[in-house]
Amino acid sequence: MTTLERPLPLNVVVAALLACCVGGFAMGLVNAMKVDRGGAETSKTPAAEVSGAPVKDATPALAYEPPPVEKPKPKAVEVETPEQEVPAPAVETAPATTATPATPAAAASKPADPPPPKSIEDLY
C-alpha cells in the first residue's frame, strides 16, 4: 500500500504542525535577540549630508507636484454707449376676412402631459 491510500493519523499531523510552529518561533526569537557584533558601521550623519547636499540646503521633495496655477484672465469691459431711441414704424395690416383657427393646430402638434402619479403603484 502507498501512503496516499493510508494517511497519517490526525494526532501525528497536529503534533508535526505544532513542532514546526514552535521551532520557527524559537529560531525567529533567537535571531531577533542577537546583538550585532561587528559588521558595517552605520553612519551617524544626517541622511541629507550622506546624499551630498548640506542639511541647511536640503529641502523635502514633493511626492506630487501640483499643476501650475493659472492667472485669471481679465474680463472684457463693456462700454455702454447712449443710443437714440428710434420710433418703431407703424405697420398697417389688412383686416382678416376669414378667421383661421391657429390654436387647434398648435394643440394637435403637442400632446397633453399625463397627470402626475398619486402613488408608487401608479408608476407600474
Side-chain angles (χ1 to χ4, degrees):
M1 293 185 115
T2 62
T3 56
L4 291 177
E5 293 175 359
R6 206 159 91 187
L8 293 172
L10 181 62
N11 57 357
V12 174
V13 173
V14 171
L17 286 175
L18 282 174
C20 288
C21 291
V22 169
F25 179 76
M27 286 192 296
L29 191 61
V30 167
N31 285 335
M33 294 181 67
K34 278 186 181 176
V35 178
D36 189 20
R37 294 185 183 9
E41 245 183 76
T42 57
S43 175
K44 304 288 189 223
T45 59
E49 287 185 358
V50 172
S51 66
V55 175
K56 63 179 181 178
D57 296 337
T59 56
L62 295 175
Y64 166 74
E65 188 167 328
V69 178
E70 296 180 10
K71 294 181 180 177
K73 296 177 183 175
K75 294 183 180 179
V77 178
E78 296 181 12
V79 179
E80 294 184 17
T81 57
E83 297 180 5
Q84 296 179 354
E85 292 186 19
V86 179
V91 179
E92 294 183 18
T93 58
T97 56
T98 59
T100 56
T103 311
S109 64
K110 182 182 174 190
D113 292 335
K118 292 185 169 73
S119 66
I120 293 178
E121 287 81 20
D122 294 343
L123 293 174
Y124 302 107

